[in-house]
Amino acid sequence: MVDVTARAEELYNEALFHLEKWELDQAEELLRQVLDEDPQHARAMNKLGVIFARRNDLRQAELCFNEAIALDPHLASAHSNLGNIYAERGWRDRAQAAYEQALLLDPGNPTATHNLGVLYRKSGDIAKGVSLLKEANRAQRRRLRSEVQSNPRTRRTVRIGWIVIAIIALVLLYFVNR
């Protein structure tokens, strides 16, 4: 069982790589392999829904998000994604409930907070919408900062970026002062 789980996670991570690059066919194929190996893989079902949403197949996306929630009711991203489908269809109350459920499961979730803020702005509650959008921005910065601090690879990349910026600044100063 451990080998199946490890293989499923390897395929899942490869699918995420392709999904990030909008290589939807490759990502879908890999996610289907994950689900063949581990039919209870809620995150893979959720990402399959993302693929359908990107293809504008909202019906199929909704089915995938609901299935992901059935597999893992605590998967905040599936609730947030389902909220996106509802918002796209103009079902404001359902979208709001889905985003709020995502936030109950993952307080401060930047994506759900942002999407709820957009929903409030579109419905005319500008103050509540702007407040949530600011909160989402702060939450995203906190998460990025936390990842930089906890992930040695990310920390190294950020350090290299600062070094490159410092070198560029020194070169510019040199040429400006010539």
Side-chain angles (χ1 to χ4, degrees):
M1 182 67 179
V2 173
D3 291 336
V4 171
T5 303
R7 173 80 176 135
E9 282 305 306
E10 184 179 305
L11 291 168
Y12 177 75
N13 288 327
E14 190 177 340
L16 293 181
F17 173 77
H18 289 288
L19 187 57
E20 194 172 294
K21 294 170 57 178
W22 280 75
E23 296 170 346
L24 303 182
D25 293 339
Q26 295 92 326
E28 179 181 0
E29 182 180 324
L30 290 163
L31 290 170
R32 290 194 184 280
Q33 288 178 36
V34 171
L35 291 166
D36 285 344
E37 292 200 20
D38 181 4
Q40 302 299 309
H41 201 293
R43 292 174 299 130
M45 183 60 71
N46 181 49
K47 292 300 182 181
L48 192 58
V50 170
I51 289 171
F52 286 114
R54 287 184 179 179
R55 290 178 177 151
N56 212 23
D57 185 346
L58 301 184
R59 185 187 63 76
Q60 192 63 42
E62 180 182 2
L63 291 172
C64 289
F65 297 141
N66 278 318
E67 179 64 22
I69 291 167
L71 292 170
D72 181 0
H74 298 100
L75 187 59
S77 58
H79 289 278
S80 183
N81 289 335
L82 188 58
N84 293 342
I85 298 301
Y86 293 155
E88 185 72 24
R89 290 180 169 163
W91 300 343
R92 186 192 179 286
D93 292 341
R94 285 185 182 185
Q96 182 177 343
Y99 295 143
E100 288 173 349
Q101 181 62 33
L103 290 169
L104 279 174
L105 296 169
D106 183 9
N109 179 302
T111 303
T113 304
H114 176 270
N115 293 344
L116 188 58
V118 169
L119 191 68
Y120 274 104
R121 279 190 53 210
K122 285 183 177 178
S123 68
D125 192 344
I126 304 299
K128 177 82 171 176
V130 168
S131 173
L132 285 166
L133 291 170
K134 287 179 180 178
E135 183 182 327
N137 190 353
R138 286 188 299 271
Q140 183 65 29
R141 285 196 315 261
R142 278 192 306 273
R143 287 205 178 181
L144 288 173
R145 207 173 305 123
S146 174
E147 180 176 328
V148 166
Q149 291 170 353
S150 67
N151 185 332
R153 189 174 182 191
T154 306
R155 216 174 27 244
R156 180 175 167 260
T157 303
V158 168
R159 244 182 278 145
I160 291 169
W162 281 112
I163 290 169
V164 169
I165 289 170
I167 291 169
I168 291 171
L170 288 172
V171 169
L172 286 174
L173 279 172
Y174 172 77
F175 284 110
V176 167
N177 291 325
R178 277 186 85 194

